[in-house]
Amino acid sequence: MGPVDFDKLVLGPCDAVFGEVVTFQSSLLGKAVILSGIFDDGYRAISPLGDLPGQSPTHITGSDARVGVRLSLFPVPPAQGDLLTIRGRVWRIREVQPDSHGGAHIELNAADGENDALSCGTTGGRGQTAVKRN
């Protein structure tokens, strides 16, 4: 890490103010872990044709659920396919985008209608381990 500890000086205080409870389930762990993150389920414009020179953009609007997290709170790195429960809804990790300062934006897909939780047979949130927020 560089001369500034972003996790302690920036990410931690932001998480303390804006963070909310996130339950993390990984196929690498035997039980769910309680941590925190900054959840956003806002709308964004999507250009299905890309940006074509000389043409007006064609946008459709879609939901872009994501959560900002401190990677130091995770007992194992979050990975595509792992599950997060936020505000009572289950989300599957679509993509983890580390920010190179100790945090990451995790893009999510709704998973509350799925039958198969994780390939290791994780308990679905019944066994939980709390992770202390700094």
Side-chain angles (χ1 to χ4, degrees), residues 1-72:
M1 203 175 244
V4 176
D5 185 351
F6 273 79
D7 186 57
K8 180 180 178 184
L9 298 173
V10 178
L11 301 176
C14 286
D15 189 50
V17 173
F18 300 108
E20 56 190 276
V21 174
V22 173
T23 303
F24 171 63
Q25 294 175 268
S26 170
S27 60
L28 300 176
L29 298 172
K31 47 176 109 167
V33 175
I34 304 292
L35 43 93
S36 66
I38 301 171
F39 181 66
D40 182 29
D41 193 13
Y43 287 91
R44 69 179 178 113
I46 300 169
S47 182
L49 302 175
D51 294 326
L52 302 172
Q55 294 188 5
S56 296
T58 304
H59 293 289
I60 56 175
T61 303
S63 178
D64 189 23
R66 60 184 352 177
V67 63
V69 297
R70 297 170 61 195
L71 292 172
S72 64

Side-chain angles (χ1 to χ4, degrees), residues 55-127:
Q55 294 188 5
S56 296
T58 304
H59 293 289
I60 56 175
T61 303
S63 178
D64 189 23
R66 60 184 352 177
V67 63
V69 297
R70 297 170 61 195
L71 292 172
S72 64
L73 297 180
F74 287 81
V76 297
Q80 185 178 35
D82 289 344
L83 296 174
L84 299 176
T85 303
I86 306 167
R87 298 181 186 173
R89 289 197 63 194
V90 180
W91 302 89
R92 188 164 301 276
I93 294 177
R94 178 175 66 223
E95 185 176 354
V96 179
Q97 301 171 343
D99 67 6
S100 77
H101 297 291
H105 287 269
I106 298 178
E107 293 186 357
L108 305 169
N109 287 332
D112 37 11
E114 295 181 5
N115 291 328
D116 179 29
L118 292 170
S119 59
C120 74
T122 301
T123 61
R126 283 172 274 179

